[in-house]
């Protein structure tokens, strides 16, 4: 049975749900830019991508200035709301606290800004369980590029075979594969289990409670 010295997580739709604030940010930004306003389900399908990439996915617009303007408008609304409105999925606190108590080193590697994640986790009293948080401003190349996970390996001083990455999207699976680390999928988001079939997943968990049960023998 394999044991992991360190476990890193994606954030959105893996540990937490910021849907309301994300949708609000998208709709505000699109309105300010004179674009058709996307509905909730359309926005949900982009969660996990870098904001600028999500904008381009929905508009087909690759203009650098427009991409940057979208981020600025989005953050005007979404940044303060995410800290106050984000909820954690059932089992998140128990999972992080349990792993931490077992001596597993924990981190988050996400396309959300690290500052926002840190403030959210402080709000829930879980920041101290995390050794590191790497967000969108902490890397040059974003998922599916493995830079974030590779940087986590370097900062934590662990080998690829000693770290597990957990996420909810194909981007997460691809980043883990590129970094040479094991990957566990969590089905809290919009990606369903069959989509992970092309990727080497050591486990696919329907929720965090089941993931914690699976990890208990591997921590």
């Amino acid at each position: 049975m394999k044991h992991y010295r360190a476990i890193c997580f994606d954030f959105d739709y893996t540990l937490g749900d910021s849907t309301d604030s994300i949708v609000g940010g998208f709709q505000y930004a699109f309105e300010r830019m004179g674009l058709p306003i996307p509905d909730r389900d359309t926005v949900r399908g982009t969660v996990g991508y870098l904001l600028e990439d999500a904008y381009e996915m929905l508009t087909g617009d690759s203009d650098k200035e427009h991409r940057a303007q979208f981020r600025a408008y989005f953050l005007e609304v979404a940044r303060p709301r995410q800290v106050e409105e984000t909820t954690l999925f059932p089992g998140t606190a128990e999972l992080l606290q349990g792993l931490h108590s077992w001596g597993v080193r924990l981190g988050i590697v996400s396309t959300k800004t690290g500052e926002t994640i840190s403030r959210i986790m402080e709000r829930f009293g879980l920041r101290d369980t995390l050794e590191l948080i790497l967000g969108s401003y902490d890397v040059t190349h974003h998922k599916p590029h493995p830079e974030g996970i590779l940087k986590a390996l370097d900062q934590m001083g662990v080998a690829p075979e000693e770290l597990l990455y957990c996420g909810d999207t194909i981007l997460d699976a691809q980043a883990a594969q590129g970094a040479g680390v094991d990957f566990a999928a969590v089905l809290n988001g919009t990606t369903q289990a069959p989509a992970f079939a092309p990727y080497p997943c050591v486990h696919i968990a329907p929720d965090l409670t089941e993931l914690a049960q699976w990890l208990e023998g591997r921590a």
Side-chain angles (χ1 to χ4, degrees), residues 110-149:
S110 172
T111 53
K112 204 181 204 71
T113 67
E115 177 190 4
T116 298
I117 296 171
S118 183
R119 292 175 65 190
I120 291 170
M121 301 310 278
E122 285 174 358
R123 176 175 156 238
F124 286 102
L126 295 170
R127 180 63 183 87
D128 290 344
T129 66
L130 301 166
E131 181 173 330
L132 62 79
I133 296 175
L134 297 176
S136 58
Y137 296 144
D138 299 310
V139 297
T140 302
H141 306 288
H142 301 89
K143 294 182 290 186
H145 195 283
E147 181 183 347
I149 299 174

Side-chain angles (χ1 to χ4, degrees), residues 38-184:
D39 62 27
R40 184 182 183 87
D41 286 343
T42 298
V43 173
R44 287 187 75 238
T46 71
V47 172
Y49 286 86
L50 186 69
L51 284 173
E52 290 86 345
D53 292 341
Y55 166 80
E56 186 171 342
M57 287 168 61
L58 298 188
T59 64
D61 182 5
S62 60
D63 183 272
K64 290 182 179 180
E65 291 186 4
H66 293 169
R67 285 164 55 98
Q69 185 63 75
F70 168 74
R71 173 176 283 271
Y73 284 145
F74 173 90
L75 291 176
E76 280 183 31
V77 167
R79 175 176 279 162
R81 287 185 56 181
Q82 287 189 70
V83 175
E84 298 301 323
E85 298 178 13
T86 295
T87 59
L88 298 182
F89 287 109
T92 296
E94 294 82 358
L95 173 63
L96 296 181
Q97 290 167 342
L99 291 170
H100 183 65
S101 70
W102 300 336
V104 181
R105 301 166 66 186
L106 303 176
I108 290 176
V109 178
S110 172
T111 53
K112 204 181 204 71
T113 67
E115 177 190 4
T116 298
I117 296 171
S118 183
R119 292 175 65 190
I120 291 170
M121 301 310 278
E122 285 174 358
R123 176 175 156 238
F124 286 102
L126 295 170
R127 180 63 183 87
D128 290 344
T129 66
L130 301 166
E131 181 173 330
L132 62 79
I133 296 175
L134 297 176
S136 58
Y137 296 144
D138 299 310
V139 297
T140 302
H141 306 288
H142 301 89
K143 294 182 290 186
H145 195 283
E147 181 183 347
I149 299 174
L150 293 172
K151 193 168 185 178
L153 288 169
D154 181 63
Q155 291 189 13
M156 299 175 97
V158 297
E161 63 269 19
E162 298 176 313
L163 184 142
L164 174 71
Y165 187 61
C166 303
D168 69 291
T169 69
I170 298 306
L171 297 177
D172 299 318
Q174 291 171 330
Q177 185 176 31
V181 305
D182 283 354
F183 175 72

